[in-house]
Amino acid sequence: MTQTISACLIVKDEERFLESCLKSLVSVVQEIIIIDTGSTDETLIIAQKYGTVSTTPWEDDFSKARNVSIEKATGDWVLIIDADEVLTQETQEKLLAFLEHPRLQEQPIVLNFFRTGEGGGTFKRTLFRNRQGIHFIYPLHEILYRKEGLISLDCPHLSLLHHPRTQQERKLKAEKYSFQLEHLLRENLFPKENAHYSKHLGDACTTLEKAQKATQAYAQAYTSYQMSQEPQQDGFYREILFKWVQGLMFSEENDEKAVEVCQEWVKVFPKDVEGHLHLSYSLYRVGQVEESLLVYQRSEELLSKNPSQNFKVWVGLGRCYLALEQWDKGLGYLLKALKVSPQSLEVMLHLARGYELKEQPDTALLWYYKATGEIISAQDLRAALLQGNMWTHQECLHLLNS
């Protein structure tokens, strides 16, 4: 029997994106439920062409509005989508057939679609079985929850495309959310709630370019999650570690702490390549080059079945070997990385630095020219290289003193 899907949206003043979202659903879902929370533009007119529309007053609670839409769903599956997202063509063609898979029958399962847009991509909980006690919790940055637990499955072949917002729109939204999150964090929260809101406060502060405040929020999220005694293998815990490390590295004043957090990341997620890459780079930044080299080699092993993704690993190995003055090995790895990304300015400048350290100035000047288009003398090369902001403190010293 063919599985049925109810698409559920909550909207307010979404005339710019809504129609493209709804058009991407009509060939896949059997029901579209739209909850409008107070639109003053053409949103309602657009929505009424495609689905069942209800209006409800906005009560500063995303979960409450989401749950109203779920309660109206009659399909076997519920698809949660935002007005500024669309199902990709591939997903429209494959989704219904995929839902016939025996593994997906009669389980409280959530399918995570790969959501792409500005800033790359991430998995988002998008589709779940109806009538399994699954609902949303938290008034802000709502998440799916089931008292007895959820089975979650990443589906890289099922994807959403997110329409980018302008930088001004993102900052206005982050300002609003940061105010609300700070208010929520003043309440007497359970540790898990504190971790949730602190992490999202860190995200808002990152958007607002408040780096120190963001790092503090991620640190609080980490501490609260540890206190919550939730399973550490949870993807949310990984996200906290990832964001915290990013903040620590950006500040450039907490490299030792970044190493500590990365070590926790790799301990909990031993097969996570991203964790190994962050650990290896943070070790490199504090001057532990041989330790960094070992972790990069471990990353290369983890990626052995997919060497096309080895670009960051080979760049890291190249830098390590140059720091250890094993010129040929270092340059060899950088050249391998360049084959993967032939236009990489980063790699070309590392090659210029490597050949300069190896005392082959003509080759170094050639790579510098390829990277920058500038013709300079051999005498000026080191000074020119030092003007870049891509080197670690140790790499600058290496250029100055060798």
Side-chain angles (χ1 to χ4, degrees), residues 284 289-290 293 318-327 398:
Y284 184 81
V289 178
E290 292 183 349
L293 181 67
R319 293 173 81 165
C320 286
Y321 281 119
L322 291 183
L324 296 170
E325 300 189 358
Q326 297 184 38
W327 314 124
H398 205 177

Side-chain angles (χ1 to χ4, degrees), residues 369-382:
Y369 173 75
K370 286 183 176 181
T372 67
E374 298 177 13
I375 299 174
I376 59 175
S377 68
Q379 290 78 14
D380 294 333
L381 179 58
R382 292 202 180 195

Side-chain angles (χ1 to χ4, degrees), residues 311-363:
F311 174 79
K312 290 181 181 179
V313 177
W314 289 336
V315 173
L317 286 168
R319 293 173 81 165
C320 286
Y321 281 119
L322 291 183
L324 296 170
E325 300 189 358
Q326 297 184 38
W327 314 124
D328 291 338
K329 278 190 175 182
L331 294 167
Y333 274 109
L334 291 170
L335 288 168
K336 285 176 72 173
L338 197 65
K339 287 182 179 179
V340 176
S341 182
Q343 305 303 317
S344 172
L345 300 182
E346 175 193 9
V347 176
M348 292 180 196
L349 287 171
H350 279 303
L351 285 164
R353 184 175 66 90
Y355 280 108
E356 171 68 5
L357 292 170
K358 194 184 177 185
E359 299 182 354
Q360 294 185 9
D362 290 344
T363 308

Side-chain angles (χ1 to χ4, degrees), residues 98-317:
F98 179 69
L99 293 182
E100 299 298 327
H101 194 288
R103 182 182 173 186
L104 305 181
Q105 308 310 310
E106 306 303 327
Q107 294 190 74
I109 195 165
V110 178
L111 304 184
N112 306 325
F113 287 24
F114 193 71
R115 180 179 185 259
T116 60
E118 75 275 1
T122 185
F123 283 102
K124 177 187 176 184
R125 290 186 165 185
T126 304
L127 187 68
F128 58 89
R129 276 207 158 274
N130 199 5
R131 296 177 289 275
Q132 298 279 350
I134 301 172
H135 60 283
F136 282 94
I137 59 172
Y138 302 141
L140 187 59
H141 295 295
E142 69 279 13
I143 62 171
L144 285 172
Y145 174 80
R146 179 174 179 266
K147 184 178 179 180
E148 299 82 6
L150 285 169
I151 301 168
S152 183
L153 179 65
D154 288 346
C155 304
H157 61 294
L158 301 177
S159 55
L160 300 166
L161 176 63
H162 180 235
H163 288 296
R165 302 283 183 169
T166 67
Q167 182 68 7
Q168 183 181 9
E169 287 175 320
R170 290 197 295 272
K171 286 196 170 185
L172 285 172
K173 188 175 181 181
E175 284 279 10
K176 178 182 175 181
Y177 283 170
S178 64
F179 176 81
Q180 293 173 316
L181 289 162
E182 286 174 344
H183 177 75
L184 286 165
L185 285 164
R186 293 190 195 106
E187 299 179 9
N188 186 22
L189 302 172
F190 290 109
K192 186 177 179 180
E193 292 176 289
N194 193 298
H196 177 80
Y197 292 134
S198 294
K199 181 266 175 189
H200 286 289
L201 177 59
D203 292 347
C205 291
T206 299
T207 299
L208 296 170
E209 300 176 8
K210 298 178 179 179
Q212 184 176 2
K213 194 171 181 180
T215 303
Q216 291 169 350
Y218 292 134
Q220 180 59 51
Y222 171 82
T223 301
S224 297
Y225 196 90
Q226 292 278 355
M227 293 171 60
S228 74
Q229 298 184 335
E230 290 290 317
Q232 290 189 331
Q233 288 74 21
D234 183 79
F236 182 67
Y237 184 55
R238 180 199 179 276
E239 194 173 354
I240 292 172
L241 295 172
F242 171 74
K243 295 291 183 69
W244 191 15
V245 167
Q246 293 272 298
L248 290 168
M249 287 184 169
F250 182 78
S251 70
E252 297 183 0
E253 297 176 0
N254 297 287
D255 284 346
E256 295 287 352
K257 187 65 179 179
V259 171
E260 181 184 326
V261 177
C262 287
Q263 287 171 334
E264 165 74 0
W265 183 352
V266 169
K267 182 181 78 173
V268 177
F269 302 96
K271 294 185 179 180
D272 190 323
V273 175
E274 199 71 35
H276 282 80
L277 288 172
H278 278 77
L279 175 58
S280 47
Y281 184 56
S282 61
L283 287 166
Y284 184 81
R285 280 167 58 122
V286 298
Q288 298 183 40
V289 178
E290 292 183 349
E291 292 84 351
S292 173
L293 181 67
L294 290 173
V295 181
Y296 273 124
Q297 289 170 338
R298 172 60 178 150
S299 302
E300 192 175 28
E301 291 173 8
L302 290 171
L303 284 171
S304 60
K305 293 183 179 179
N306 196 357
S308 63
Q309 296 183 12
N310 257 321
F311 174 79
K312 290 181 181 179
V313 177
W314 289 336
V315 173
L317 286 168

Side-chain angles (χ1 to χ4, degrees), residues 373-399:
E374 298 177 13
I375 299 174
I376 59 175
S377 68
Q379 290 78 14
D380 294 333
L381 179 58
R382 292 202 180 195
L385 287 169
L386 284 166
Q387 289 177 7
N389 60 1
M390 60 181 288
W391 317 115
T392 65
H393 178 66
Q394 297 295 327
E395 286 173 333
C396 290
L397 289 177
H398 205 177
L399 275 168

